[in-house]
Amino acid sequence: MACPLTGRSSQELLDKSQQLLKEVVEVAMSTGPELGLARTAQAAQAVALTTADILREPPTELNDAFVANRLRRLFQRLGPTYVKLGQFIASSPTVFPADYVREFQKCLDSAGSVPFSDVKRTIEEDLGRPLSEIFTQFDTIPLASASIAQVHAATLSTGEDVVVKVQKPGIEDVLKST
């Protein structure tokens, strides 16, 4: 019996699933069990959430725009490495179909942002002082958020307007495991 979305047979889907599982195990072994298991769990959650989106909002027509949208959502859920791949798609209009380029442009500056409490903690740890000692104003809403960092407008205590780029917490571990 064929899958209604992909048109593939059950055996083809089983074969693809087994290949994916084999690759996941190889990654887990190469990165160590803790990082490998964490990334596997993140990937499983991303696929489950994206599948739930499709079931909750089934397409009226299975076209490139729909597939590109769901693939972009999956990439964003999978994390920074995949968002970087999405940025490559967005920046390659001669290589990828227009619907994919248009959809993945959302990865260029509007990737999911980190809560301000995490940003504040990161800055204060890095600088060794409270934000209030360095800035008279710090915008809690990022100007942009990409795969690895996000950018906030701020005013230094000297009165200079600045833009502060903050690496997202935990990004080093994520990049090491991919």
Side-chain angles (χ1 to χ4, degrees):
M1 183 162 129
C3 171
L5 288 178
T6 65
R8 294 187 176 182
S9 72
S10 297
Q11 185 59 47
E12 285 178 294
L13 291 173
L14 181 61
D15 291 345
K16 290 284 184 191
S17 297
Q18 287 175 335
Q19 179 62 32
L20 179 60
L21 182 58
K22 180 181 174 189
E23 290 173 13
V24 166
V25 169
E26 288 172 4
V27 168
M29 290 175 63
S30 70
T31 60
E34 288 180 13
L35 275 177
L37 289 174
R39 290 293 291 158
T40 300
Q42 180 189 8
Q45 181 182 26
V47 169
L49 289 170
T50 304
T51 302
D53 285 350
I54 294 168
L55 295 174
R56 192 174 37 258
E57 303 170 35
T60 54
E61 179 183 355
L62 190 59
N63 56 25
D64 278 350
F66 175 82
V67 174
N69 175 271
R70 293 313 193 255
L71 190 59
R72 187 226 0 120
R73 289 182 187 191
L74 176 62
F75 277 25
Q76 288 181 315
R77 288 174 173 145
L78 286 170
T81 303
Y82 290 88
V83 171
K84 281 290 184 196
L85 180 58
Q87 292 170 346
F88 172 73
I89 293 169
S91 303
S92 306
T94 59
V95 178
F96 295 96
D99 286 326
Y100 286 80
V101 171
R102 225 178 348 269
E103 185 65 37
F104 278 96
Q105 286 176 344
K106 295 175 184 172
C107 291
L108 293 175
D109 63 1
S110 60
S113 61
V114 172
F116 181 71
S117 59
D118 294 343
V119 169
K120 181 179 178 187
R121 184 172 40 256
T122 298
I123 295 170
E124 290 178 343
E125 285 174 4
D126 286 352
L127 298 179
R129 301 187 334 200
L131 278 183
S132 60
E133 288 183 14
I134 303 162
F135 303 98
T136 57
Q137 186 275 330
F138 199 101
D139 196 349
T140 60
I141 298 170
L143 295 170
S145 181
S147 57
I148 295 173
Q150 61 191 50
V151 180
H152 293 264
T155 304
L156 293 171
S157 54
T158 60
E160 294 174 84
D161 289 328
V162 295
V163 175
V164 180
K165 185 174 185 179
V166 182
Q167 183 174 304
K168 291 181 176 179
I171 200 67
E172 287 181 32
D173 291 337
V174 171
L175 295 176
K176 286 178 187 175
S177 71
T178 55

